[in-house]
Amino acid sequence: LVPSPLGRRYVAGGRCKSTAKMEGKVVIITGANTGIGKETARDLARRGKVIIACRDIAKAEAAASEIRAETGNQQVIVKKLDLADTKSIREFAEKFLAEEKELHILINNAGVMLCPYSKTADGFEMHMGVNHLGHFLLTFLLLERLKQSAPARIVNVSSLAHHGGRIRFHDLHGEKSYNRGLAYCHSKLANVLFTRELARRLQGKFQSQGEFTANALHPGSVYSDLVRHSLIMTWLWKIFSFFLKTPWEGAQTSVYCAVAEELDSVTGQYFSDCQPAYVSPRGRDDETARKLWSVSCELLGIQWD
């Protein structure tokens, strides 16, 4: 089951070739204590200031310490953020806005996958609550700072799994029926629709301050601990690890969307392997995107026009 060097290169996929530096720029990456988030932070720490926003502070500090030692950049900072609790999201945003005057790149990377049925602190189904609603609220709270710092970018880590998703407005929190694989797919479709609607709302509004873009991406099938909630998937991941991307390879498209100069004015797009990728018909449904936006605001008790 070991692929040839040529096959391995195919599995590895696209690489970000940009050498863009980000002196004086500030990046937030959610869930950057492990997997592709950590590798994204490692790359961007060679370019500028990185804030690692994580629920597990001990793991995050260990990751930050390793990245600081490797890159020589002391501006790798850990902040507490639990996307399954809107109180924690608001506290994170409040502290960040008090301490940092600029924010140039927000990478909504953190995610949960294949969780047994559970709810967030606010009663949202865990996949939809963390993967979509948590990042929706975080982006809303940080939007003004991003606008003031433009040119700025929002990067949403979605997945090829969005093809299997649908937005079930009649049962958004899976109380009537629940399948953990599908719940993940639904939340990843929500990421694509959020990106699409956000880009539409931002386009042309802040040209005087510079470009302000929002794009989504599929990192690839990555050998990481994201499948930890499923014993079968963990076992399969181990067996077929040669056919999966390493976390470094999986981070390439996130880094590309964050720094590539050719994406300065590209917005509302979906990428895979550092190039534009096909979006499912449901991911291109503007009516669903608008309705999801409205329902998300209602659930979070915010007004975002």
Side-chain angles (χ1 to χ4, degrees):
L1 285 177
V2 180
S4 66
L6 189 63
R8 183 67 210 124
R9 272 205 301 280
Y10 175 78
V11 168
R15 295 193 175 185
C16 177
K17 297 186 174 82
S18 171
T19 55
K21 289 291 177 198
M22 303 188 309
E23 286 99 344
K25 293 198 171 183
V26 180
V27 185
I28 290 175
I29 310 173
T30 66
N33 60 348
T34 186
I36 66 169
K38 182 179 173 184
E39 293 306 320
T40 304
R42 196 192 305 274
D43 182 292
L44 297 183
R46 294 190 172 95
R47 306 172 193 252
K49 181 173 181 174
V50 175
I51 291 169
I52 291 177
C54 292
R55 181 173 51 90
D56 189 327
I57 291 291
K59 266 193 190 174
E61 284 293 1
S65 173
E66 182 189 313
I67 292 168
R68 282 185 215 115
E70 191 179 311
T71 63
N73 181 3
Q74 296 310 303
Q75 292 290 285
V76 179
I77 296 159
V78 171
K79 303 274 185 195
K80 168 90 172 169
L81 171 66
D82 183 355
L83 287 158
D85 185 348
T86 58
K87 185 167 176 278
S88 171
I89 299 167
R90 290 180 180 280
E91 282 170 1
F92 169 85
E94 198 178 311
K95 281 180 187 163
F96 173 83
L97 295 171
E99 291 165 9
E100 300 287 343
K101 296 305 160 215
E102 292 189 307
L103 174 59
H104 303 90
I105 301 167
L106 171 61
I107 302 179
N108 290 319
N109 164 83
V112 294
M113 182 181 181
L114 303 174
C115 300
Y117 189 75
S118 56
K119 288 187 172 182
T120 68
D122 301 271
F124 309 140
E125 185 278 315
M126 191 60 72
H127 293 89
M128 193 60 76
V130 170
N131 298 354
H132 168 60
L133 291 167
H135 282 129
F136 187 94
L137 178 61
L138 180 66
T139 306
F140 167 75
L141 295 170
L142 299 176
L143 196 71
E144 284 304 318
R145 191 54 42 92
L146 282 157
K147 282 182 200 172
Q148 292 158 10
S149 311
R153 298 184 187 189
I154 296 166
V155 178
N156 294 323
V157 178
S158 179
S159 169
L160 184 68
H162 85 270
H163 286 269
R166 58 175 60 208
I167 305 302
R168 302 165 71 250
F169 290 110
H170 67 288
D171 189 24
L172 207 59
H173 303 299
E175 287 161 331
K176 293 175 185 168
S177 71
Y178 180 75
N179 174 293
R180 55 190 182 170
L182 287 176
Y184 177 72
C185 295
H186 302 332
S187 71
K188 294 289 107 179
L189 174 60
N191 292 155
V192 171
L193 291 168
F194 169 45
T195 306
R196 188 176 180 88
E197 181 64 8
L198 179 61
R200 186 187 72 77
R201 287 165 177 258
L202 295 177
Q203 214 157 14
K205 282 191 179 176
F206 313 106
Q207 297 328 73
S208 59
Q209 294 153 292
E211 293 291 352
F212 189 7
T213 65
N215 290 299
L217 66 99
H218 167 55
S221 297
V222 179
Y223 188 64
S224 73
D225 66 353
L226 192 59
V227 295
R228 65 187 175 276
H229 292 292
S230 167
L231 281 175
I232 293 171
M233 287 294 283
T234 302
W235 180 68
L236 287 171
W237 246 226
K238 282 197 170 110
I239 291 176
F240 294 106
S241 61
F242 282 111
F243 297 92
L244 298 170
K245 290 185 177 187
T246 64
W248 182 85
E249 290 161 354
Q252 293 304 298
T253 306
S254 295
V255 174
Y256 174 74
C257 288
V259 304
E261 299 89 337
E262 62 267 33
L263 299 187
D264 279 347
S265 56
V266 174
T267 192
Q269 300 301 304
Y270 171 75
F271 293 86
S272 178
D273 283 328
C274 302
Q275 59 189 9
Y278 179 73
V279 177
S280 75
R282 288 196 186 105
R284 287 178 269 127
D285 186 331
D286 289 330
E287 193 181 326
T288 303
R290 282 193 288 272
K291 187 174 178 185
L292 178 63
W293 185 283
S294 167
V295 168
S296 301
C297 287
E298 208 174 298
L299 288 168
L300 292 163
I302 60 176
Q303 279 194 308
W304 189 356
D305 301 318

